[in-house]
Amino acid sequence: MISLDTAITAVTVYPDRARVTRSGKVEVPAGEHRIRVAPLPQDLLRDSIRVAGQGEVVVLGVDITTERQIAVTDEQVAALEERIRELEVAIGALGDSDRAADARIVFLDRLARRSAESLAAADSGRVSAFVDDLEAQYETVNTARRERDKLRQRHIREQQAVQRQLGDLRGKNRTDTEVAIITVEAAQAVTVDLDISYVVLGASWSSSYDLRLTDAGLTLRWFGLVEQRTGEDWPECRLQLSTARPAQALDVPELDPWFIGVEIPRPVMRSMVAGGASMDAVPVGYGAPAPAAAPPAMARKAAPIRESVAEVEHGVTAATYTPQRAVAVASDGTDHRTVITALDLEAELDHVTAPVQALEAVLRATARNTSEHTLPSGRAALFHESEFVGATHLDTWAPGEERELALGVDDRIRVERELVRRNASKATLGSARRIETEYAITVSNHTGRTANVTVLDRLPVARDAAITVRETTAKPQPAERGDLGILTWKLELEPQAQSTVTFGYRVEAGKGVVIDGLHD
């Protein structure tokens, strides 16, 4: 058996696993020999192991076996247990000595009381000698007690340390180690460079992004976050991030027949359903500060810092990214970030506000992915120049696809929504109940540039024939009217300008009809 020492030289990380390559050099005599490579991680997929390399040998086979290793010997455990017993005996002996000292103190107290009367008439020299002797005995007892207290504390600390050590050893039961046995045949003695690769679970990578809005446009930086708990640390080596999913798409999709039939009638349960239309929420972030003032002109402008990006190799169904520098990843689950690429996106900026929900305007970028990269879903941090303003989630973004991105609330666009009229009349004989409502929405542009603002509001939608809704006024006319009562205005505001949108509606209901869900 020839033992081969290997080191990790390359790792390809997939979204839910990794392929690890170990390399080593070994002297192989002439004939058939078995080469042992260990240890390997326990979670490796045995079917995935492959052997390659350079050298005049023939690989006859590769086997994965499990070797059981004893982490703790019985002698180690027995020695620690014996030491704990010795310390318990020593602590018990100190307790016995303390009880004997207590009895001696009681005896000295009684002796002092009994001798006090007989020594009352004695000469001073005899009394002084007795007192000195009694004090010496008290001092001897107390000194011995203090020494035993110190010794007891040392024994207790040692006992606790030994118990912790024993607990650690008992926790290290028999461990299993995966071992690769490579059988080779050589016509003559030769030096062989072997690469052994395998797929292991417990590793993954995900995407995160920085979206930075500047006067020059919208820049996206794509990062790969690598983490792993495979049981072996990855040193600085060639690291690749692949979007392939080895565990998926292994079968060609097929469909089963779709059968339909006659529905068996069932009792109908009536329930009261609250009326009122709903509107998708506009994503919001944090307040966006005004752009920083341009710095004074400099005689010579320093070149901006450049950042290395990964090399990309596009396959039929996946892409593989190779960072330009080696990356070390410890097996502790900690994220390790590496730059994949930086993109300048084509983007059109505008603002969107839905004042019925919030009196704020969200800065929106309608961007197109003009790169060759399919950007996986991930968390995106939003920046205006150098200021962090919030975070959002970015869904998978294909090349050429257009996407709306919420870049945070812009406090320089001020929005107000005011109820300017509301009349309600009660239903009388032969008449209907009528409620008329009118709102005014004022949008102000306090930025230093022209702002395009999309204003969203809504009319109530009747879900019962006994209730009718009519639009009574809309100034200016909405650019769009949705089937479910959503009204959309497109405003173009010059710097420091404002515009007001007014709209109203009438709700009518027959006598005895209670309108549910109507509110400001």
Side-chain angles (χ1 to χ4, degrees):
M1 182 77 71
I2 302 174
S3 294
L4 173 60
D5 292 330
T6 60
I8 296 176
T9 55
V11 178
T12 300
V13 187
Y14 302 101
D16 62 349
R17 61 197 63 199
R19 174 173 291 278
V20 179
T21 300
R22 286 180 166 272
S23 302
K25 181 175 293 187
V26 64
E27 301 289 339
V28 179
E32 182 177 320
H33 299 278
R34 302 173 70 197
I35 301 174
R36 179 181 182 273
V37 180
L40 300 179
Q42 296 182 5
D43 290 336
L44 69 84
L45 304 181
R46 297 194 172 197
D47 293 342
S48 67
I49 194 162
R50 296 291 183 271
V51 175
Q54 296 179 344
E56 296 295 329
V57 296
V58 178
V59 177
L60 303 178
V62 182
D63 297 315
I64 299 294
T65 62
T66 301
E67 292 184 355
R68 304 201 65 186
Q69 297 180 348
I70 300 176
V72 182
T73 64
D74 294 338
E75 291 78 7
Q76 290 175 293
V77 174
L80 293 177
E81 290 177 342
E82 178 62 26
R83 182 55 184 163
I84 290 176
R85 286 192 292 270
E86 291 175 355
L87 292 171
E88 289 175 348
V89 171
I91 293 173
L94 293 174
D96 294 339
S97 299
D98 284 341
R99 286 188 289 273
D102 292 340
R104 188 174 181 183
I105 291 295
V106 172
F107 171 76
L108 292 175
D109 290 343
R110 291 176 180 175
L111 179 62
R113 287 194 299 269
R114 291 176 181 177
S115 301
E117 296 179 359
S118 60
L119 292 175
D123 59 75
S124 60
R126 184 180 174 188
V127 172
S128 177
F130 176 78
V131 172
D132 291 342
D133 182 62
L134 192 62
E135 289 180 351
Q137 293 193 51
Y138 274 119
E139 181 64 26
T140 300
V141 173
N142 291 329
T143 300
R145 188 194 299 275
R146 288 191 292 269
E147 293 297 327
R148 286 193 299 273
D149 286 341
K150 293 179 182 179
L151 184 57
R152 181 184 293 104
Q153 294 302 319
R154 288 200 295 269
H155 288 341
I156 291 174
R157 288 194 294 269
E158 183 181 356
Q159 185 183 45
Q160 293 173 344
V162 174
Q163 287 173 341
R164 287 194 298 268
Q165 186 178 359
L166 181 60
D168 292 341
L169 288 178
R170 284 173 173 169
K172 297 179 181 178
N173 296 323
R174 294 176 179 270
T175 58
D176 296 339
T177 300
E178 301 299 309
V179 178
I181 304 297
I182 307 171
T183 304
V184 299
E185 185 177 25
Q188 57 185 4
V190 64
T191 299
V192 180
D193 292 320
L194 284 180
D195 295 327
I196 178 171
S197 63
Y198 49 85
V199 173
V200 63
L201 302 177
S204 63
W205 78 277
S206 58
S207 297
S208 71
Y209 303 91
D210 281 357
L211 286 170
R212 191 176 303 272
L213 180 64
T214 65
D215 290 336
L218 185 65
T219 300
L220 180 145
R221 297 170 68 205
W222 179 14
F223 302 97
L225 302 179
V226 184
E227 64 171 300
Q228 59 106 350
R229 297 181 183 273
T230 64
E232 57 182 4
D233 294 336
W234 300 341
E236 290 190 355
C237 62
R238 185 172 184 265
L239 181 70
Q240 293 183 313
L241 308 179
S242 175
T243 60
R245 297 182 179 271
Q248 299 182 11
L250 300 181
D251 298 318
V252 176
E254 296 182 358
L255 293 178
D256 295 327
W258 181 7
F259 299 103
I260 62 174
V262 178
E263 181 181 4
I264 300 175
R266 290 175 292 182
V268 178
M269 300 296 293
R270 293 188 177 182
S271 61
M272 297 300 295
V273 181
S278 63
M279 181 172 69
D280 293 338
V282 177
V284 298
Y286 297 92
M298 299 177 62
R300 181 178 180 182
K301 187 176 180 180
I305 294 176
R306 293 185 300 171
E307 196 166 34
S308 66
V309 298
E311 298 177 357
V312 59
E313 179 181 350
H314 292 281
V316 177
T317 60
T320 300
Y321 300 90
T322 306
Q324 292 189 5
R325 69 177 184 88
V327 179
V329 182
S331 181
D332 57 3
T334 303
D335 284 338
H336 296 263
R337 189 167 81 162
T338 182
V339 178
I340 295 180
T341 191
L343 306 175
D344 292 326
L345 302 178
E346 296 178 357
E348 295 182 1
L349 300 179
D350 65 350
H351 294 79
V352 179
T353 180
V356 68
Q357 289 184 335
L359 299 177
E360 56 192 20
V362 175
L363 180 61
R364 176 178 64 180
T366 303
R368 183 179 300 277
N369 182 3
T370 55
S371 71
E372 61 180 351
H373 306 284
T374 297
L375 305 177
S377 63
R379 194 72 172 165
L382 305 178
F383 295 86
H384 288 183
E385 298 291 349
S386 60
E387 296 292 333
F388 173 75
V389 296
T392 186
H393 182 80
L394 198 64
D395 292 329
T396 302
W397 199 357
E401 185 179 6
E402 192 173 80
R403 180 69 51 79
E404 290 185 355
L405 305 174
L407 301 181
V409 174
D410 192 343
D411 292 328
R412 299 167 298 171
I413 303 295
R414 309 300 295 175
V415 182
E416 296 179 0
R417 185 178 189 265
E418 181 183 3
L419 176 65
V420 296
R421 185 168 64 90
R422 184 179 180 88
N423 297 326
S425 64
K426 296 183 178 179
T428 59
L429 182 63
S431 66
R433 182 187 179 191
R434 176 180 299 173
I435 301 174
E436 293 187 355
T437 307
E438 186 174 315
Y439 291 96
I441 301 173
T442 303
V443 182
S444 304
N445 177 16
H446 297 280
T447 69
R449 65 191 68 183
T450 302
N452 294 315
V453 183
T454 298
V455 180
L456 303 175
D457 217 302
R458 60 189 177 185
L459 302 175
V461 179
R463 304 177 70 174
D464 193 291
I467 301 174
T468 60
V469 179
R470 292 183 176 86
E471 180 182 317
T472 58
T473 182
K475 298 178 182 179
Q477 288 295 314
E480 298 175 10
R481 284 183 171 88
D483 294 336
L484 295 179
I486 307 301
L487 304 178
T488 303
W489 289 269
K490 303 286 188 179
L491 306 180
E492 183 176 343
L493 301 178
E494 297 296 326
Q496 307 305 317
Q498 72 176 25
S499 179
T500 300
V501 170
T502 303
F503 76 100
Y505 55 86
R506 177 189 304 128
V507 179
E508 295 180 341
K511 183 178 180 181
V513 175
V514 178
I515 302 175
D516 183 31
L518 187 63
H519 52 79
D520 292 341

